[in-house]
Amino acid sequence: MVHKITLTVNGYKRTVEVKDNELLLDVLRDKLKIKGLKAACWRGECGLCTVLLNGKLVKSCLVLAVEVDGSEIVTVEGLSRDGELTELQKAFIEHGALQCGFCTPAFVLASHQLLLENPNPTDEEIKEKLSGILCRCGTYYEIIEAIKSASNFYRKKQR
Amino acid sequence: MLYAKLVTSTVPHAKIKRIDFSKALQIPGVVKVVTGKDFPYRVGMYAGDRDLLAIDKVRWVGHPVAAVIAESLESAEKAVDLVDIEYEELPAVFDPLEALKHDAPLIHEKMEEYRHSPAFKPIPGTNIANKFTLVKGDVERGFREADVIIEEQFYIPHVSHCYMEVQNVVAHYHLDGTVEIWTSWQNVAPIRQIMALSLGIPHNKIIVRIPYVGGGFGGKAGLGWEALVAVLSKEAGFRPVKLVLSRREQFTVAAVREGFYGFAKAGFKKDGKFIAYDVKFILDAGAYADYTVNVGRAVGYSADGSYDIPNIRVESLTVYTNKIPTTALRGFGYPESHWVLEQIMDRAAEKIGLDPAEIRRINLVKPGISETCTGERLREDAGNPEKVLQTLLEEIEWNVPPEKPGEPWKIRSKGLALFVKGPAQPPNAAASAILKFNEDASVDLLIATGNFGQGTITGLIQIVAEEFGLPLEKIRVDYIRDTHKSAYTWQTVGSRGLFTDGIAILRAIEDAKKQIFRVASEVLRCPEDHLELVNGEVRVKGKPWEKIPLQDIVMGYTYPNGNSIGGPVIGRGVFMSTHTTYLDPETGQGNPTIFHTFGGAAVDVEIDLLTGEIKVLKIVQVLDLGRVINPLLVKQQVNGGSLMGLSIGSYEQIKFDERGWVVNPNFTNYYLIRIKDIPKEVVWKAVETAQSDGPYGARGVGELTMIGIAPAIANAIYRATKVKINQLPMNPENLWKAFKEQRPDLFDEALKMFIESKKLVEVRA
């Protein structure tokens, strides 16, 4: 059966037809052409398809699109405004927190959410929060450095 | 766009009796189903042993037998399940030691027909895809003179590259015979070469394009799916076709790293001198060994590591089995040879009564004097292994005993391993570069250097910016590699990119500078050798006010009256190694590589004797890079390589059942290191022994950072417990068994202390 669903993706209303069995991941990437989220395992193990669904981090390969009609979704494309990178994204570049870059959108998005919730995280808290996302290039140390260096901006924002 | 999906074998070794895809064709959206018989091509780079789809016979569980082409992925997936294949099963062989027996099932009957590179020796009528032999000195005499002899067996299981982006290809066969390929691969040139040779298409009618790649680690080098998808596109009526592997297929269909056995016998004098080494390597190459034959060669000629061993004999057999095919993985045979050698060093040190660092110092090669086991005299500026070792000892505080952990059933220990590596490549593996100036003196750098996360492109851009005195932003390398538009480079593999492509670029810069100075010399009325390039200007040396900005020259210089000289500046440069050779087929003697990067790794670990858990607290890596061009990129390679080495050393193993099925083809059952598992600290130090023919003296580094980790951990365990860990992975299960078997006394003591501590807690409670 085909359903018409409406999502707010990165601030824009998008209406799309989906089948019962279509994953949010595939709808976002293939139908709405949002390519920041990546597909790499299709079973919730690698975390690269992570999106913010109504303000919560979820793996979009574990969500059926038809379930989330009316939801608000933010992907990495929705973080920066007018082509200017966010301070967190700049920190990722400055600290070399990416190599091939394939996992970077997921880590940036998850780190952003982590800092919103806890703008002063310890190493252990960062590790706990981000262990659901895989990086084979092994940029984990640099990711921790980038988060800590960008945390200042999130603390300011909170004040 | 059409979508392709592979129908794969469910049996390990069988004749294909019948393929019935009539039901699959009834699925709406299915365009065509093709089988191996439709394309009787043999493809490959080194062994030349691969079919596009199985022809007559399947050789592993996962062997693609047919491909479904459909209008949607969903239709293709549905149709795959409806392809009915009837097999006549043949006896299968899963262990390379079994496959070497004379009555073992023969996996490749027509090996003599394979078009293999002259560097390899397949043995038709057996399961040996390549036999590599190396002989130097007299190993028997060496053993007679030895005071101490060590004999050990080692094992490393199959592992997967686990690059995050799965393999994927789009191919479009056009009506005019041109084939366009878009693929997630490391290099454009070998794809074109393999397709041209196997499909008989002229090189300039094959256009291979590679955008950003989500990781490679060697698993996207050599042979891919491009030739198959190209013929699928033709079969589907010249429409573009896309093939994307699933993660499961990455573990069961795509090539992985081979399984490995090492059988070593080593002879030492009482004073610690390593005088005889007899080693046999057996590589479990799986059903196809196109690239692994070269891993078999590299593991063979790297057997001596960083040491001067006068008598050495190596036999390295790359052996077919009915398992998943194998290929290159970061380190390319060197992690395997060093897993053996670096543990032998510690075992010998223990037996002789020497410190592991001391026995290494005694046997280190001396550049300028020593020969490697292939008889190559190391150039004087090849590196400084002695300084590498010294720096490593200082950084890990080798002589400071580690603190005792609070819980008495745990122990702390330090271990180390040295390593050396050069690129494993054909002797004539060339590189080239073209750079062209634009009107504003910005530069387009046209290179084919692979860009899959190593950051080499940044290093190369830095070289161009530095030489022309331009800011980095003025130099652009397009993000798409393109056989039609990029200058040729053989491959970006083996840590060679910065070295080979860097040299080609330096020569292109020199060529461009000549053109610039020729024009500037006329305009400024000054000899060319009195000119210099500073901040994007050509200046007369010593008279910085006499100058022309680059943008006034790079499209030709125009005098006030309109007369013009020069023209658009295009620089070209090449790299060609002039001293590398094929190795002698009997003795393995010759010059296999363009540089050797020396390095060492040391670890500080905490060992739980009761559970077999290892916690690595600190990793130190020291590398003689020649010259560090970008410290951040080196740091990334060190951190990344350390974690990959730790992950493969601690967790990773593709497990097969008795019928050859992979039982853990996913990231739940095949564990990869996650951010919560990282050691507290990774530190690195560079030793910079500049190599005169390298770019600014630099050597490659990417793979090196992985080689030393596993043997250093095993050595740390051995040093503290005398428990030998000859097999990877060093997971709690394997280590717990090893502690219990080899040191029941230690284990029982630890258990006693554990129980005591619990009693105390109970009493206090």
Side-chain angles (χ1 to χ4, degrees):
Chain A
M1 205 179 137
V2 176
H3 312 263
K4 199 174 252 189
I5 63 167
T6 301
L7 304 170
T8 306
V9 185
N10 298 326
Y12 296 94
K13 271 220 156 81
R14 307 283 299 261
T15 301
V16 60
E17 285 190 351
V18 302
K19 282 186 263 176
D20 295 332
N21 61 350
E22 272 187 279
L23 303 177
L24 179 59
L25 163 64
D26 295 333
V27 170
L28 289 171
R29 272 189 63 85
D30 299 339
K31 292 199 165 152
L32 301 180
K33 305 294 175 194
I34 310 279
K35 302 289 188 179
L37 66 161
K38 305 293 177 193
C41 78
W42 294 272
R43 44 181 279 160
E45 293 164 341
C46 74
L48 302 203
C49 64
T50 297
V51 297
L52 278 169
L53 175 68
N54 299 327
K56 277 202 170 126
L57 288 172
V58 300
K59 293 168 178 177
S60 60
C61 71
L62 298 181
V63 178
L64 290 173
V66 69
E67 291 178 297
V68 295
D69 188 13
S71 298
E72 188 172 332
I73 288 161
V74 178
T75 69
V76 74
E77 286 90 341
L79 293 186
S80 63
R81 289 277 172 260
D82 309 322
E84 169 90 4
L85 295 180
T86 66
E87 295 304 328
L88 176 64
Q89 287 170 323
K90 285 182 199 161
F92 264 65
I93 294 172
E94 192 187 321
H95 290 270
L98 66 157
Q99 287 186 33
C100 81
F102 204 71
C103 67
T104 312
F107 271 111
V108 167
L109 199 63
S111 308
H112 167 72
Q113 185 63 17
L114 158 71
L115 286 170
L116 283 182
E117 289 168 12
N118 176 6
N120 204 5
T122 63
D123 283 17
E124 289 315 307
E125 285 165 340
I126 294 171
K127 288 178 187 178
E128 170 68 30
K129 276 278 179 194
L130 298 184
S131 271
I133 309 174
L134 283 173
C135 169
R136 180 55 142 179
C137 300
T139 56
Y140 297 142
Y141 291 102
E142 290 85 353
I143 288 171
I144 294 174
E145 285 172 24
I147 291 173
K148 293 193 136 177
S149 103
S151 61
N152 195 25
F153 292 93
Y154 287 81
R155 285 197 291 275
K156 275 189 205 150
K157 239 192 255 180
Q158 229 176 31
R159 268 185 235 131
Chain B
M1 180 80 72
L2 297 173
Y3 296 85
K5 198 78 199 157
L6 302 171
V7 183
T8 56
S9 165
T10 51
V11 290
H13 198 196
K15 283 186 186 156
I16 301 169
K17 298 295 286 179
R18 190 179 54 88
I19 305 174
D20 178 2
F21 48 79
S22 51
K23 278 188 202 143
L25 286 175
Q26 285 164 16
I27 297 286
V30 171
V31 174
K32 199 158 187 181
V33 179
V34 297
T35 68
K37 282 227 158 104
D38 301 330
F39 332 109
Y41 305 107
R42 285 273 161 224
V43 294
M45 194 158 103
Y46 288 142
D49 56 4
R50 189 64 195 268
D51 45 23
L52 294 186
L53 293 167
I55 303 168
D56 298 331
K57 182 170 137 155
V58 293
R59 294 183 168 88
W60 89 93
V61 175
H63 198 161
V65 179
V68 175
I69 313 163
E71 299 284 350
S72 72
L73 188 59
E74 202 181 354
S75 299
E77 280 171 349
K78 268 188 198 155
V80 158
D81 292 339
L82 298 175
V83 176
D84 186 27
I85 306 164
E86 190 187 320
Y87 297 106
E88 179 188 323
E89 283 213 52
L90 299 167
V93 60
F94 302 114
D95 187 304
L97 305 180
E98 293 294 320
L100 284 171
K101 292 183 177 161
H102 73 276
D103 57 348
L106 192 60
I107 297 171
H108 289 262
E109 295 83 354
K110 295 179 183 164
M111 207 191 287
E112 67 279 359
E113 293 175 11
Y114 297 171
R115 192 167 43 192
H116 67 85
S117 141
F120 304 101
K121 263 198 323 193
I123 305 181
T126 74
N127 288 319
I128 298 172
N130 181 44
K131 179 177 179 177
F132 172 85
T133 47
L134 181 145
V135 182
K136 192 173 172 233
D138 180 347
V139 77
E140 299 305 339
R141 200 187 64 203
F143 283 122
R144 282 196 299 276
E145 290 169 4
D147 300 311
V148 167
I149 289 182
I150 311 282
E151 278 193 86
E152 293 289 349
Q153 295 183 19
F154 297 87
Y155 177 70
I156 302 176
H158 288 70
V159 295
S160 171
H161 305 80
C162 300
Y163 32 75
M164 287 293 110
E165 184 189 13
V166 291
Q167 295 184 0
N168 60 87
V169 182
V170 175
H172 192 179
Y173 210 119
H174 293 275
L175 279 166
D176 69 353
T178 307
V179 185
E180 256 183 292
I181 303 280
W182 290 85
T183 181
S184 173
W185 213 245
Q186 290 177 214
N187 307 287
V188 289
I191 294 172
R192 184 177 67 171
Q193 173 76 350
I194 289 167
M195 285 180 61
L197 294 183
S198 57
L199 305 182
I201 305 170
H203 283 71
N204 67 352
K205 290 212 141 187
I206 304 169
I207 298 161
V208 183
R209 298 201 180 98
I210 300 182
Y212 292 125
V213 176
F217 312 107
K220 292 176 181 169
L223 180 62
W225 303 103
E226 295 79 12
L228 171 65
V229 186
V231 295
L232 294 182
S233 167
K234 192 179 180 183
E235 290 290 319
F238 300 91
R239 295 174 65 188
V241 174
K242 183 176 193 171
L243 174 72
V244 182
L245 295 199
S246 66
R247 182 58 64 183
R248 182 191 172 82
E249 286 170 326
Q250 287 290 154
F251 283 100
T252 55
V253 180
V256 299
R257 186 170 87 179
E258 90 287 343
F260 169 85
Y261 288 96
F263 301 93
K265 182 177 172 187
F268 290 80
K269 299 290 282 180
K270 274 198 299 261
D271 61 5
K273 184 75 195 103
F274 198 162
I275 55 163
Y277 192 33
D278 188 7
V279 65
K280 187 166 182 172
F281 300 131
I282 311 262
L283 282 74
D284 183 351
Y288 292 91
D290 184 49
Y291 217 142
T292 307
V293 291
N294 201 27
V295 178
R297 178 173 164 273
V299 71
Y301 70 67
S302 65
D304 59 340
S306 316
Y307 310 112
D308 190 345
I309 310 171
N311 306 296
I312 180 162
R313 181 165 65 199
V314 184
E315 184 177 280
S316 176
L317 303 177
T318 306
V319 181
Y320 290 120
T321 60
N322 292 114
K323 299 216 292 257
I324 186 168
T326 56
T327 190
L329 189 147
R330 194 181 198 169
F332 205 78
Y334 286 69
E336 294 91 316
S337 56
H338 285 77
W339 173 241
V340 175
L341 176 68
E342 286 301 313
Q343 292 206 66
I344 291 283
M345 297 308 285
D346 275 45
R347 309 285 166 82
E350 165 69 19
K351 217 162 179 182
I352 296 166
L354 281 171
D355 184 273
E358 190 51 32
I359 196 167
R360 286 177 169 80
R361 203 189 321 268
I362 290 167
N363 290 293
L364 275 181
V365 285
K366 292 179 180 60
I369 299 164
S370 304
E371 276 184 4
T372 67
C373 67
T374 69
E376 176 191 347
R377 187 169 300 279
L378 285 170
R379 43 188 298 156
E380 218 157 310
D381 59 5
N384 190 341
E386 178 121 21
K387 196 170 167 196
V388 167
L389 175 60
Q390 195 48 44
T391 313
L392 192 63
L393 298 177
E394 286 161 15
E395 286 300 315
I396 195 74
E397 299 182 299
W398 185 250
N399 293 320
V400 180
E403 268 173 53
K404 276 202 162 143
E407 296 148 316
W409 53 92
K410 290 182 181 171
I411 8 177
R412 280 271 291 276
S413 179
K414 293 174 188 175
L416 63 84
L418 298 182
F419 49 83
V420 60
K421 188 183 185 299
Q425 57 168 56
N428 57 353
S432 61
I434 298 168
L435 62 86
K436 58 188 182 77
F437 274 92
N438 302 315
E439 292 87 334
D440 61 350
S442 64
V443 176
D444 282 325
L445 181 58
L446 310 182
I447 48 173
T449 316
N451 187 15
F452 33 93
Q454 345 82 298
T456 312
I457 304 297
T458 307
L460 297 175
I461 285 176
Q462 281 178 266
I463 292 177
V464 179
E466 168 88 16
E467 289 294 320
F468 288 117
L470 293 170
L472 289 173
E473 305 76 61
K474 284 229 161 185
I475 322 299
R476 183 166 187 272
V477 176
D478 193 67
Y479 77 101
I480 296 171
R481 301 294 166 273
D482 182 329
T483 47
H484 188 58
K485 294 183 184 130
S486 318
Y488 174 90
T489 193
W490 171 71
Q491 285 203 84
T492 303
V493 291
S495 313
R496 80 192 277 277
L498 183 68
F499 190 91
T500 58
D501 300 20
I503 291 168
I505 286 170
L506 278 168
R507 291 185 181 148
I509 292 166
E510 207 181 299
D511 184 28
K513 275 188 183 172
K514 261 190 210 150
Q515 299 166 37
I516 291 165
F517 285 153
R518 202 177 304 136
V519 173
S521 148
E522 264 188 59
V523 178
L524 295 169
R525 297 173 193 283
C526 166
E528 286 175 33
D529 57 356
H530 287 204
L531 297 173
E532 60 183 352
L533 258 167
V534 184
N535 287 336
E537 295 173 335
V538 183
R539 293 181 188 168
V540 178
K541 284 181 194 163
K543 297 181 188 168
W545 57 89
E546 289 189 25
K547 63 187 184 184
I548 322 175
L550 262 180
Q551 61 260 39
D552 290 355
I553 297 183
V554 291
M555 286 290 155
Y557 183 81
T558 303
Y559 287 100
N561 72 352
N563 278 163
S564 301
I565 56 169
V569 172
I570 300 174
R572 49 81 69 178
V574 302
F575 164 84
M576 180 57 92
S577 164
T578 49
H579 71 279
T580 42
T581 63
Y582 288 115
L583 300 181
D584 182 277
E586 304 304 321
T587 64
Q589 300 297 289
N591 296 340
T593 191
I594 47 179
F595 60 78
H596 304 267
T597 303
F598 289 91
V603 294
D604 182 347
V605 302
E606 186 181 273
I607 306 159
D608 187 326
L609 290 166
L610 286 181
T611 61
E613 281 168 297
I614 296 285
K615 199 165 157 193
V616 176
L617 305 169
K618 182 176 181 177
I619 293 175
V620 177
Q621 299 242 30
V622 180
L623 296 148
D624 192 341
L625 304 169
R627 176 85 179 266
V628 175
I629 289 183
N630 183 321
L632 178 62
L633 294 177
V634 177
K635 176 186 161 191
Q636 288 181 312
Q637 287 302 310
V638 171
N639 285 346
S642 296
L643 295 182
M644 192 167 182
L646 181 57
S647 189
I648 289 177
S650 309
Y651 313 117
E652 298 181 36
Q653 171 173 23
I654 299 177
K655 291 188 175 175
F656 299 88
D657 72 6
E658 68 284 357
R659 296 277 299 135
W661 286 72
V662 173
V663 300
N664 56 343
N666 55 62
F667 290 139
T668 301
N669 299 311
Y670 183 101
Y671 192 81
L672 282 193
I673 194 162
R674 290 177 182 266
I675 197 168
K676 69 180 165 57
D677 306 311
I678 63 175
K680 193 154 179 280
E681 220 186 337
V682 176
V683 295
W684 69 280
K685 284 275 170 254
V687 171
E688 295 185 293
T689 313
Q691 179 156 334
S692 64
D693 63 351
Y696 301 108
R699 280 181 287 271
V701 62
E703 300 163 294
L704 275 291
T705 54
M706 205 179 92
I707 301 173
I709 302 297
I713 296 171
N715 284 340
I717 298 171
Y718 181 70
R719 196 170 172 218
T721 64
K722 304 295 162 276
V723 172
K724 298 174 184 177
I725 308 297
N726 290 9
Q727 170 184 345
L728 287 180
M730 293 180 276
N731 58 19
E733 180 187 351
N734 286 340
L735 294 188
W736 183 82
K737 273 188 206 154
F739 294 155
K740 262 199 108 179
E741 272 163 27
Q742 296 180 35
R743 290 296 304 275
D745 54 323
L746 262 189
F747 184 86
D748 291 345
E749 179 66 23
L751 187 59
K752 217 191 282 168
M753 284 189 287
F754 178 77
I755 292 167
E756 287 299 319
S757 73
K758 294 295 159 201
K759 272 185 193 156
L760 279 177
V761 174
E762 272 167 36
V763 169
R764 279 198 202 115

